[in-house]
Structures are given as structure tokens and as C-alpha cells.
Amino acid sequence: MKNNLPLNLLYRFKSFNTPDGATSLYEVLHFFSESSDLPEDLLENVYRDHFGDEYDSQKSNSLRFYFHSLDDLGEFALKVCEQVHVSEVLILSSDDYNLAIESCYDLKGFRDVFRRNGTSIVNSSLSSGKKNIFGKLFT
Amino acid sequence: MVFGGKLQLTTPEICDYDSVFPGENWMFYWKTSPSLWKTKLLEFNSVNPVLVPVYWGFHNESIDHYDFGTYKPEANLKKLIEIAQEIGREVILVIPISPTPFLPNGGVPSFVAGTSSVSKEGLSVVAIDAEDRLYKMFSYYDPRVFQMFRKFCWQLGQYISQLGIKCEVFGADYGYMEKGSFISYREDYSSAFEKGFSRYINQLQESEPETVNESLNLPNGERLLQKKFEGLIYDLYEQSVSETMAANFGKVIPVAMLGGGTSDILKNAFDSWEMKDRYIGSLFSTLIKDILPCSALLSQKNKKGLLDKCLKDLITSSFIKKTLDNAISDEDEAMSFMPMVFFDIFEKEKDGQVSSSLESQGLLRYFDRNFQLTFRFKRGFSDELDEAALGQVYIVSCEDLDLSDLSKLLKLFMSGAKIVLDLSQLDKAVENRVQQFIIENGIELEKVNFVTELSMARLGEGSLVLYRSEKLMSAGASKKMNFWSTIVKFLDLKNLKVECDSDIFFFWRSRGSNTYELNYEQIRRVSFYNPTSYKKKAKILTTGGNFAFLKSIDQTHASVQSMPVGISLELLPGGSVSLDFGYYE
């Protein structure tokens, strides 16, 4: 995976009624890098390892990866970033995506949707890692 | 080269993408001047028919203003059809009955484009065309859109009939392929759909309160009602076309736009994405399902290579005609290769997807291993079974099979079709009718207890297999494989076994034999494509008998070697080859 290209995560907020009452959650719709799909088993493993409870009930509903808070969603995105050694993930909600699309008229505008409207989470383990020769010279 | 008296030293760049003919015989007439229509049609290196999608918004720019060439010469459909006919081209007008992804606003006139279409995921539905323009799609459930559409169809119908335009008209249901299923752009979760649906429920509650309450009490009841409503609106759009252009109307064809799904669009946006094999699988799925694939959204960069070759190899004029249901009158066309389908599987749909029962029975796994891309799922019974082809296998595992569907199935069996029926799914009355049919016709059933209760019978060319799926579902994976293998053996299906490395695509087609091939009943062609960057191998085993290797064709970066057990292939990156086999009894 090219670590200079950010990952992109598109999610939606979903609320529905269950026998225990009303509930709401954040569901991952698309999670991809700018050069390839993220391996499904990698996402599954990160989800299972860090959000075991949700993972257990995942199969009882039709949702793939879901979270009870935005913090959890961000944590998941960051863990995936760390696994694939990518320096940044851009997170965008479906509502923001729909709003951004309104002012898009071509591919160029569409490409910038995540960068302009998404929330950036930086993988600090990678960004503060070893510096190259130029980095060392100029700090 | 001399241009305007100046010597130009650079070679002129050849533009291999033509925005007027973006692929698969589609012609976007509004993209060029009518003075160029004739030249373009003459240059167009393909055969009939030319598919002309009618751009509603182009002909109907404001309320009650319809233009068929009075103001804009590019809107003159009569002229286009006359020019085409003059040079021997057959034109088919295609009217959209769903949002059209390669048109601004999805084809809807801007004065009526009010509510954006929303996907199941809650995302605005958009498409990016081959020239990198982004088009938003608008809901067909907005009552104003329907009213304007109906008016437009009436105007177009009048235009066609009054000017005596002779051409066929088809409806198009545009969509895209997702995990092997066709998703129509009319599938919409927008506020326009929600409002329309609640009006429908209110009306239904007044006329049929019990039906509504019963449905809503079912676990997936609301979704079922939504599907019903969706179908109802779809029928209204179809009627608008069929009634106003009755003399010219053929039918509605599903058109799958390659690269038209949300996930495709998100990824297409980035240049770094590997595109090599993205659409070959989707393309193959459309072919066996009689869905017309269209690559108009893909840029030449994304199409070039193996995908382009697949499109040229497989989307032949005969295939387009067959999909449109035109009679194949030409002898040459009757001898063209068509996608080969052994099995039609009828199963109840759940939320637009085939339910998991056949998966639990191990059938899908068995087919994926042994009959890859030669089976397809069917939705409705009624029309399909009337048109059934003999020799085809019909696998039926659905609880909503009624007595009339059953009688069609049994009639097919009597006339030589092969039927596999899951008794566990049937209503008691329908099951009793099956038993009654067997007794009345003195059919001898061969009963075996193999994994589950299994009965098999033959009548002339026809075969009937009855089984109960409950026990099968709880059996182990290998037992399930053996079960289906036994059934297929009984059905006496003959096909060559293919063993190949992963990531290789292959596709079967067949045709009848010609006068030089009288030793064979049928000619079968298997085409292999290697979209990977690695050398790949494949084997076609001919040890089962009934097949003779005839020839290899279109060999590109591939080697073919005959072996005692069959044919061995080596495909270099981007390689492809087709092999012909004669099938004899």
C-alpha cells in the first residue's frame, strides 16, 4: 500500500428501533485506499480485536462494521491505518458527502470531496517516525 | 503533413474514443452536429442495430416545450433515422424508464429535477461519465417527474406516428451490477420515494386494510410493500412508453452500466486504482442474465486492454439482437455464439437478493466449482416459463410456487425439459398436485435415500428430480457436493471441466453446428482472459468424452498445447485465447 496516499472512510449515522428500545450507531459504508481495496480480512481482524462485543453481535444484523460512537469509529480507522502503514485517514459522513456532491460537477471536484470535507486522522506512529535525509537536515 | 500552408512535423494524435459512439452500438446523437451523423454512422465500425438513447431533457427543456428538430437540429430524430436507414443501418430508439447515468440530471429535464435519488446506503446517486463529468440522478418517484415523463412520451409517440417514422422503440431500465446482481437506478430511498410510499400505504389501508396489517406484521413486511410499490411505479413508466408508442414498442431491457455503482465511482475517482479486471466479472454476469452491458461510463483508458477485447468478443450484434428479443432471421446470426446457460434457478427473493437457502443447500458452491457462469437466477415464473428452452435445467426452490406455475413446469417436463424441484419449500396443495401428476401419468420414480429423500424420473428427453432440502441443509460440505453431483449426473449434462489458476476469467458460449460440422450437435467455445501481471495456467479436461477439440482462435500472449487428458494453456499477462470444441452425442 502506498503510504503517501490517505485512506478514505465513508460512514453513515443510523438510528432504529430494537426490542430494547431506540438505538443509534455509525456504520462504515466504504473504506478504501486511493490505490486499492483494503483487504476484507484485515478489516475483520482489526474490528474483532478492538471491538469484540460489536463483532459478536455483527452477525445477528446485516451491518458489517458499526460503532456506538464517533470516537470508536475514529479509533478503528486509525488502527487500520497503523496496520497498513498509512499516514492518514480521511473520514466523511454520508450527510457531508451528499452536501459536498451538490457542488461537484466533474471528476476533479469529486476527487477532492474527502480531502475538503473529511475529518483527517493522522497516524502519528508513521508521521513522527524516521526522517529522511532532508528531514534531518532541515530540522 | 500540411495544415493551412504550414508544415506540421508531429503525427496527429489518433483519438480512439468517440463520444458519439461510446461502445456496444450506442449512439449519442446529441453530441455531434446532424451534418456529421452520416459520416459518423458510416465510420462506425460495427453492425446493426444502432441503439439510440432518447435524451428526454434535451427534447423537453421547459414545460410544454418539445423540440424534435424545430429549434435544435440535433434533436431531429426523424432525420437521424432516415440517414441511418439510407445507409442500411437499423436504428432502435431507447426510452429510459429509470434515471440514465450518462446524461445530465440522469436525463430528467432540469425544470423538473427536484429530489436527488438516494441509494440504499443513504448516498446521493451520481455517475461520472467517460469525459469525467459528474451527473446527479433525480428521483423518478417525484409525481411531477412522472407527469412530465408521460407528457413527453405522448409527444414523442405523436411525433413518431404523425411523421410515419419507422423504427422500433424499447424501454431501458438502467442499472449496474453489484455482487452478481443487477441494481436498477430506479431503486431509490429518497424523500420522494418515502412520500410516495406513505401515500400508497394510506390508500392501501383504506382499500385493503387486512393486507397492509398482515404484511406489516411480517419480519420484512415493510420492505416487501416497498418493493411492491416500486414495481407499481415501474409499471406506470413502462405503460407510458408502451401505450404512447404501441405500434413501435418492443419491451423494456435492463442495461447494466459498467462502472456505474457507488463503489465503482468512489474508486474510479483515483488514478492509482488498478482497473485491469474490475469489470470483466460484472460483464460476464450480465451476459448470462440477458442484461445488456454498456461501457459508456468508462473512459478509453479504463476500457483498453482485456476489457475492451472482452466487450468486442462477447457483445456481438447477435447478442444485442437476442437481448432485444428480435428474431434472428439471418442464417449467419443464427450460427453466432451465444452465452451458454445450463441452469435457470428460481428462488424466492428476499429484499431484492436471492435468499440464502440454496447457499445452505451447497448448490451455489457446487456450481461455482463445476458450472461457473453457466447458471443464473430468475425472478418471476410466468413469462420465463412460457419461453423456456428445451434441454435447459430448471431448479425450483421457492415457497411461492403456485398451481399454475407448477402446471407450466410439469408441461415443460413432458416436453423434454429437466426439472429439479425442492418439495420442502412447496405449499401442501402444490406438493399434492405433484404426487397426483406422477400417479396420473404413470411416471416411475426411482427413489433413493441419499443425504435426503430423493426421487428421480425420466420421460423421453425430460427429467424430473424431487428432493427435500431440510436434511440436505444440515449435511456436511462434501455430502452436499456429492448430492448435487449425483443429480447433475442423472440429468446427463455434459460439459468440459476447467481447472485454472486463480484470477483467470473464462466464459462459455455455444452455437449450433453448420453443414461442415455435421459430426457435432453443438460447437462450444470457451474464452480465457488473464488480466493479472503474472503468467497463469489453465487446463480443459476432455476425458469425460463427448467432446472433440477443434481449434484455438484469437491467441494473444497465450500458448495452447494438446495433452492426452485435454488442452493445456499458458497465458502471459494480458493474454487471451478462445478454444472451440465439438460436442457429439
Side-chain angles (χ1 to χ4, degrees), chain A residues 4-35:
Chain A
N4 54 338
L5 296 174
L7 300 183
N8 298 292
L9 187 152
L10 187 59
Y11 72 93
R12 71 167 159 182
F13 175 74
K14 207 174 173 183
S15 60
F16 50 90
N17 292 318
T18 63
D20 304 328
T23 186
S24 58
L25 45 84
Y26 300 90
E27 185 192 5
V28 175
L29 298 175
H30 297 275
F31 198 4
F32 58 98
S33 88
E34 291 185 10
S35 62

mmCIF file of all heavy atoms in Angstrom, chain A residues 4-35:
data_model
loop_
_atom_site.group_PDB
_atom_site.id
_atom_site.type_symbol
_atom_site.label_atom_id
_atom_site.label_comp_id
_atom_site.label_asym_id
_atom_site.label_seq_id
_atom_site.Cartn_x
_atom_site.Cartn_y
_atom_site.Cartn_z
ATOM 1 N N ASN A 4 1.894 7.251 1.106
ATOM 2 C CA ASN A 4 1.704 8.690 0.924
ATOM 3 C C ASN A 4 0.261 9.014 0.527
ATOM 4 O O ASN A 4 -0.146 10.162 0.500
ATOM 5 C CB ASN A 4 2.688 9.248 -0.114
ATOM 6 C CG ASN A 4 2.612 8.495 -1.427
ATOM 7 O OD1 ASN A 4 2.158 7.354 -1.448
ATOM 8 N ND2 ASN A 4 3.027 9.125 -2.488
ATOM 9 N N LEU A 5 -0.510 7.982 0.172
ATOM 10 C CA LEU A 5 -1.918 8.206 -0.184
ATOM 11 C C LEU A 5 -2.791 7.911 1.031
ATOM 12 O O LEU A 5 -2.630 6.872 1.672
ATOM 13 C CB LEU A 5 -2.336 7.283 -1.334
ATOM 14 C CG LEU A 5 -1.625 7.484 -2.671
ATOM 15 C CD1 LEU A 5 -2.042 6.399 -3.654
ATOM 16 C CD2 LEU A 5 -1.953 8.852 -3.245
ATOM 17 N N PRO A 6 -3.714 8.808 1.365
ATOM 18 C CA PRO A 6 -4.524 8.564 2.563
ATOM 19 C C PRO A 6 -5.576 7.484 2.332
ATOM 20 O O PRO A 6 -5.911 7.172 1.190
ATOM 21 C CB PRO A 6 -5.205 9.916 2.793
ATOM 22 C CG PRO A 6 -5.263 10.550 1.451
ATOM 23 C CD PRO A 6 -4.061 10.065 0.694
ATOM 24 N N LEU A 7 -6.075 6.937 3.435
ATOM 25 C CA LEU A 7 -7.228 6.044 3.342
ATOM 26 C C LEU A 7 -8.477 6.915 3.391
ATOM 27 O O LEU A 7 -8.445 8.028 3.913
ATOM 28 C CB LEU A 7 -7.250 5.068 4.520
ATOM 29 C CG LEU A 7 -6.058 4.125 4.691
ATOM 30 C CD1 LEU A 7 -6.320 3.193 5.870
ATOM 31 C CD2 LEU A 7 -5.832 3.307 3.432
ATOM 32 N N ASN A 8 -9.569 6.409 2.857
ATOM 33 C CA ASN A 8 -10.834 7.151 2.887
ATOM 34 C C ASN A 8 -11.899 6.282 3.526
ATOM 35 O O ASN A 8 -12.042 5.110 3.139
ATOM 36 C CB ASN A 8 -11.277 7.499 1.464
ATOM 37 C CG ASN A 8 -10.282 8.387 0.772
ATOM 38 O OD1 ASN A 8 -10.097 9.534 1.137
ATOM 39 N ND2 ASN A 8 -9.593 7.840 -0.217
ATOM 40 N N LEU A 9 -12.614 6.854 4.460
ATOM 41 C CA LEU A 9 -13.686 6.094 5.115
ATOM 42 C C LEU A 9 -14.991 6.891 5.019
ATOM 43 O O LEU A 9 -15.031 8.064 5.396
ATOM 44 C CB LEU A 9 -13.324 5.822 6.579
ATOM 45 C CG LEU A 9 -14.243 4.897 7.365
ATOM 46 C CD1 LEU A 9 -13.470 4.193 8.470
ATOM 47 C CD2 LEU A 9 -15.450 5.591 7.957
ATOM 48 N N LEU A 10 -15.998 6.249 4.493
ATOM 49 C CA LEU A 10 -17.318 6.885 4.384
ATOM 50 C C LEU A 10 -18.260 6.135 5.318
ATOM 51 O O LEU A 10 -18.335 4.907 5.265
ATOM 52 C CB LEU A 10 -17.791 6.784 2.923
ATOM 53 C CG LEU A 10 -19.062 7.497 2.513
ATOM 54 C CD1 LEU A 10 -18.979 8.993 2.769
ATOM 55 C CD2 LEU A 10 -19.342 7.261 1.021
ATOM 56 N N TYR A 11 -18.942 6.877 6.195
ATOM 57 C CA TYR A 11 -19.831 6.208 7.150
ATOM 58 C C TYR A 11 -21.189 6.909 7.173
ATOM 59 O O TYR A 11 -21.351 7.999 6.628
ATOM 60 C CB TYR A 11 -19.213 6.225 8.561
ATOM 61 C CG TYR A 11 -19.225 7.596 9.213
ATOM 62 C CD1 TYR A 11 -20.276 7.999 10.046
ATOM 63 C CD2 TYR A 11 -18.188 8.499 8.976
ATOM 64 C CE1 TYR A 11 -20.284 9.262 10.628
ATOM 65 C CE2 TYR A 11 -18.196 9.763 9.554
ATOM 66 C CZ TYR A 11 -19.247 10.135 10.375
ATOM 67 O OH TYR A 11 -19.260 11.381 10.932
ATOM 68 N N ARG A 12 -22.142 6.235 7.795
ATOM 69 C CA ARG A 12 -23.431 6.903 7.994
ATOM 70 C C ARG A 12 -23.923 6.693 9.417
ATOM 71 O O ARG A 12 -23.591 5.692 10.055
ATOM 72 C CB ARG A 12 -24.471 6.404 7.000
ATOM 73 C CG ARG A 12 -24.946 4.999 7.250
ATOM 74 C CD ARG A 12 -26.181 4.706 6.421
ATOM 75 N NE ARG A 12 -26.353 3.276 6.258
ATOM 76 C CZ ARG A 12 -27.323 2.758 5.539
ATOM 77 N NH1 ARG A 12 -28.179 3.502 4.910
ATOM 78 N NH2 ARG A 12 -27.434 1.440 5.439
ATOM 79 N N PHE A 13 -24.720 7.633 9.857
ATOM 80 C CA PHE A 13 -25.356 7.546 11.167
ATOM 81 C C PHE A 13 -26.692 6.857 10.955
ATOM 82 O O PHE A 13 -27.436 7.184 10.030
ATOM 83 C CB PHE A 13 -25.565 8.955 11.731
ATOM 84 C CG PHE A 13 -26.316 8.982 13.025
ATOM 85 C CD1 PHE A 13 -25.699 8.584 14.200
ATOM 86 C CD2 PHE A 13 -27.646 9.393 13.060
ATOM 87 C CE1 PHE A 13 -26.398 8.605 15.400
ATOM 88 C CE2 PHE A 13 -28.349 9.406 14.261
ATOM 89 C CZ PHE A 13 -27.717 9.013 15.433
ATOM 90 N N LYS A 14 -26.977 5.877 11.795
ATOM 91 C CA LYS A 14 -28.205 5.115 11.589
ATOM 92 C C LYS A 14 -28.928 4.982 12.923
ATOM 93 O O LYS A 14 -28.300 4.626 13.932
ATOM 94 C CB LYS A 14 -27.809 3.728 11.080
ATOM 95 C CG LYS A 14 -28.866 3.066 10.231
ATOM 96 C CD LYS A 14 -28.339 1.780 9.641
ATOM 97 C CE LYS A 14 -29.490 1.083 8.951
ATOM 98 N NZ LYS A 14 -29.140 -0.193 8.411
ATOM 99 N N SER A 15 -30.200 5.282 12.934
ATOM 100 C CA SER A 15 -30.953 5.042 14.172
ATOM 101 C C SER A 15 -32.134 4.150 13.845
ATOM 102 O O SER A 15 -32.734 4.275 12.778
ATOM 103 C CB SER A 15 -31.424 6.360 14.781
ATOM 104 O OG SER A 15 -32.244 7.033 13.869
ATOM 105 N N PHE A 16 -32.408 3.231 14.747
ATOM 106 C CA PHE A 16 -33.530 2.313 14.511
ATOM 107 C C PHE A 16 -34.052 1.784 15.837
ATOM 108 O O PHE A 16 -33.422 1.958 16.883
ATOM 109 C CB PHE A 16 -33.126 1.171 13.567
ATOM 110 C CG PHE A 16 -31.860 0.460 13.954
ATOM 111 C CD1 PHE A 16 -31.893 -0.635 14.782
ATOM 112 C CD2 PHE A 16 -30.629 0.908 13.482
ATOM 113 C CE1 PHE A 16 -30.733 -1.287 15.142
ATOM 114 C CE2 PHE A 16 -29.459 0.263 13.835
ATOM 115 C CZ PHE A 16 -29.512 -0.842 14.670
ATOM 116 N N ASN A 17 -35.208 1.122 15.741
ATOM 117 C CA ASN A 17 -35.821 0.582 16.951
ATOM 118 C C ASN A 17 -35.465 -0.888 17.114
ATOM 119 O O ASN A 17 -35.491 -1.641 16.150
ATOM 120 C CB ASN A 17 -37.347 0.723 16.894
ATOM 121 C CG ASN A 17 -37.740 2.183 16.967
ATOM 122 O OD1 ASN A 17 -37.175 2.953 17.742
ATOM 123 N ND2 ASN A 17 -38.677 2.576 16.132
ATOM 124 N N THR A 18 -35.129 -1.248 18.329
ATOM 125 C CA THR A 18 -34.868 -2.664 18.629
ATOM 126 C C THR A 18 -35.848 -3.063 19.739
ATOM 127 O O THR A 18 -36.506 -2.184 20.324
ATOM 128 C CB THR A 18 -33.422 -2.861 19.142
ATOM 129 O OG1 THR A 18 -33.303 -2.146 20.367
ATOM 130 C CG2 THR A 18 -32.398 -2.377 18.136
ATOM 131 N N PRO A 19 -35.951 -4.352 20.056
ATOM 132 C CA PRO A 19 -36.845 -4.745 21.169
ATOM 133 C C PRO A 19 -36.478 -4.036 22.481
ATOM 134 O O PRO A 19 -37.318 -3.836 23.356
ATOM 135 C CB PRO A 19 -36.623 -6.257 21.273
ATOM 136 C CG PRO A 19 -36.141 -6.669 19.917
ATOM 137 C CD PRO A 19 -35.392 -5.511 19.364
ATOM 138 N N ASP A 20 -35.208 -3.627 22.614
ATOM 139 C CA ASP A 20 -34.783 -2.946 23.847
ATOM 140 C C ASP A 20 -34.984 -1.424 23.791
ATOM 141 O O ASP A 20 -34.604 -0.720 24.711
ATOM 142 C CB ASP A 20 -33.287 -3.228 24.105
ATOM 143 C CG ASP A 20 -32.997 -4.712 24.161
ATOM 144 O OD1 ASP A 20 -33.900 -5.441 24.611
ATOM 145 O OD2 ASP A 20 -31.899 -5.120 23.737
ATOM 146 N N GLY A 21 -35.515 -0.945 22.704
ATOM 147 C CA GLY A 21 -35.734 0.499 22.576
ATOM 148 C C GLY A 21 -34.970 1.080 21.400
ATOM 149 O O GLY A 21 -34.339 0.341 20.631
ATOM 150 N N ALA A 22 -35.036 2.407 21.296
ATOM 151 C CA ALA A 22 -34.368 3.054 20.159
ATOM 152 C C ALA A 22 -32.858 3.032 20.347
ATOM 153 O O ALA A 22 -32.356 3.156 21.462
ATOM 154 C CB ALA A 22 -34.847 4.487 20.041
ATOM 155 N N THR A 23 -32.160 2.827 19.256
ATOM 156 C CA THR A 23 -30.698 2.821 19.323
ATOM 157 C C THR A 23 -30.126 3.504 18.081
ATOM 158 O O THR A 23 -30.828 3.660 17.087
ATOM 159 C CB THR A 23 -30.152 1.381 19.482
ATOM 160 O OG1 THR A 23 -28.752 1.455 19.688
ATOM 161 C CG2 THR A 23 -30.401 0.525 18.261
ATOM 162 N N SER A 24 -28.894 3.921 18.197
ATOM 163 C CA SER A 24 -28.284 4.548 17.034
ATOM 164 C C SER A 24 -26.822 4.129 16.960
ATOM 165 O O SER A 24 -26.204 3.780 17.971
ATOM 166 C CB SER A 24 -28.386 6.063 17.136
ATOM 167 O OG SER A 24 -27.762 6.488 18.310
ATOM 168 N N LEU A 25 -26.289 4.136 15.775
ATOM 169 C CA LEU A 25 -24.891 3.746 15.602
ATOM 170 C C LEU A 25 -24.307 4.342 14.325
ATOM 171 O O LEU A 25 -25.023 4.937 13.522
ATOM 172 C CB LEU A 25 -24.763 2.220 15.605
ATOM 173 C CG LEU A 25 -25.775 1.408 14.789
ATOM 174 C CD1 LEU A 25 -25.331 1.326 13.375
ATOM 175 C CD2 LEU A 25 -25.927 0.040 15.396
ATOM 176 N N TYR A 26 -23.011 4.158 14.173
ATOM 177 C CA TYR A 26 -22.296 4.650 12.993
ATOM 178 C C TYR A 26 -21.826 3.440 12.194
ATOM 179 O O TYR A 26 -21.123 2.584 12.740
ATOM 180 C CB TYR A 26 -21.093 5.506 13.420
ATOM 181 C CG TYR A 26 -21.511 6.705 14.235
ATOM 182 C CD1 TYR A 26 -21.611 6.626 15.625
ATOM 183 C CD2 TYR A 26 -21.844 7.900 13.610
ATOM 184 C CE1 TYR A 26 -22.027 7.712 16.368
ATOM 185 C CE2 TYR A 26 -22.258 8.998 14.352
ATOM 186 C CZ TYR A 26 -22.348 8.894 15.735
ATOM 187 O OH TYR A 26 -22.756 9.967 16.470
ATOM 188 N N GLU A 27 -22.246 3.375 10.947
ATOM 189 C CA GLU A 27 -21.919 2.210 10.129
ATOM 190 C C GLU A 27 -20.918 2.587 9.029
ATOM 191 O O GLU A 27 -21.095 3.610 8.351
ATOM 192 C CB GLU A 27 -23.215 1.685 9.472
ATOM 193 C CG GLU A 27 -23.006 0.409 8.698
ATOM 194 C CD GLU A 27 -24.194 0.031 7.823
ATOM 195 O OE1 GLU A 27 -25.167 0.818 7.734
ATOM 196 O OE2 GLU A 27 -24.140 -1.039 7.211
ATOM 197 N N VAL A 28 -19.906 1.759 8.861
ATOM 198 C CA VAL A 28 -18.921 2.003 7.800
ATOM 199 C C VAL A 28 -19.535 1.566 6.467
ATOM 200 O O VAL A 28 -19.999 0.440 6.318
ATOM 201 C CB VAL A 28 -17.615 1.213 8.057
ATOM 202 C CG1 VAL A 28 -16.646 1.364 6.883
ATOM 203 C CG2 VAL A 28 -16.959 1.687 9.336
ATOM 204 N N LEU A 29 -19.550 2.476 5.501
ATOM 205 C CA LEU A 29 -20.109 2.148 4.185
ATOM 206 C C LEU A 29 -19.016 1.746 3.202
ATOM 207 O O LEU A 29 -19.115 0.741 2.517
ATOM 208 C CB LEU A 29 -20.866 3.359 3.614
ATOM 209 C CG LEU A 29 -22.063 3.848 4.396
ATOM 210 C CD1 LEU A 29 -22.626 5.119 3.756
ATOM 211 C CD2 LEU A 29 -23.148 2.784 4.452
ATOM 212 N N HIS A 30 -17.984 2.560 3.116
ATOM 213 C CA HIS A 30 -16.872 2.274 2.208
ATOM 214 C C HIS A 30 -15.582 2.654 2.916
ATOM 215 O O HIS A 30 -15.506 3.706 3.545
ATOM 216 C CB HIS A 30 -16.987 3.097 0.914
ATOM 217 C CG HIS A 30 -18.208 2.769 0.114
ATOM 218 N ND1 HIS A 30 -18.247 1.730 -0.786
ATOM 219 C CD2 HIS A 30 -19.451 3.320 0.093
ATOM 220 C CE1 HIS A 30 -19.456 1.667 -1.336
ATOM 221 N NE2 HIS A 30 -20.207 2.625 -0.813
ATOM 222 N N PHE A 31 -14.593 1.779 2.793
ATOM 223 C CA PHE A 31 -13.293 2.049 3.394
ATOM 224 C C PHE A 31 -12.247 1.584 2.384
ATOM 225 O O PHE A 31 -12.153 0.394 2.098
ATOM 226 C CB PHE A 31 -13.174 1.272 4.716
ATOM 227 C CG PHE A 31 -12.086 1.769 5.640
ATOM 228 C CD1 PHE A 31 -11.324 2.892 5.334
ATOM 229 C CD2 PHE A 31 -11.835 1.120 6.845
ATOM 230 C CE1 PHE A 31 -10.346 3.351 6.194
ATOM 231 C CE2 PHE A 31 -10.849 1.572 7.715
ATOM 232 C CZ PHE A 31 -10.103 2.690 7.382
ATOM 233 N N PHE A 32 -11.530 2.523 1.825
ATOM 234 C CA PHE A 32 -10.621 2.156 0.739
ATOM 235 C C PHE A 32 -9.425 3.098 0.701
ATOM 236 O O PHE A 32 -9.481 4.208 1.223
ATOM 237 C CB PHE A 32 -11.360 2.181 -0.603
ATOM 238 C CG PHE A 32 -11.989 3.507 -0.933
ATOM 239 C CD1 PHE A 32 -11.353 4.405 -1.774
ATOM 240 C CD2 PHE A 32 -13.215 3.864 -0.393
ATOM 241 C CE1 PHE A 32 -11.927 5.632 -2.073
ATOM 242 C CE2 PHE A 32 -13.791 5.086 -0.674
ATOM 243 C CZ PHE A 32 -13.153 5.980 -1.517
ATOM 244 N N SER A 33 -8.382 2.614 0.050
ATOM 245 C CA SER A 33 -7.234 3.495 -0.162
ATOM 246 C C SER A 33 -7.380 4.070 -1.564
ATOM 247 O O SER A 33 -8.266 3.657 -2.310
ATOM 248 C CB SER A 33 -5.929 2.723 -0.025
ATOM 249 O OG SER A 33 -5.568 2.170 -1.255
ATOM 250 N N GLU A 34 -6.513 4.981 -1.927
ATOM 251 C CA GLU A 34 -6.650 5.584 -3.253
ATOM 252 C C GLU A 34 -6.017 4.725 -4.339
ATOM 253 O O GLU A 34 -5.988 5.111 -5.500
ATOM 254 C CB GLU A 34 -6.071 7.003 -3.246
ATOM 255 C CG GLU A 34 -6.935 7.923 -2.408
ATOM 256 C CD GLU A 34 -6.495 9.368 -2.434
ATOM 257 O OE1 GLU A 34 -5.635 9.720 -3.242
ATOM 258 O OE2 GLU A 34 -7.039 10.144 -1.628
ATOM 259 N N SER A 35 -5.501 3.552 -3.944
ATOM 260 C CA SER A 35 -4.909 2.695 -4.969
ATOM 261 C C SER A 35 -5.491 1.292 -4.994
ATOM 262 O O SER A 35 -5.376 0.588 -5.986
ATOM 263 C CB SER A 35 -3.397 2.612 -4.782
ATOM 264 O OG SER A 35 -3.107 2.039 -3.538
#
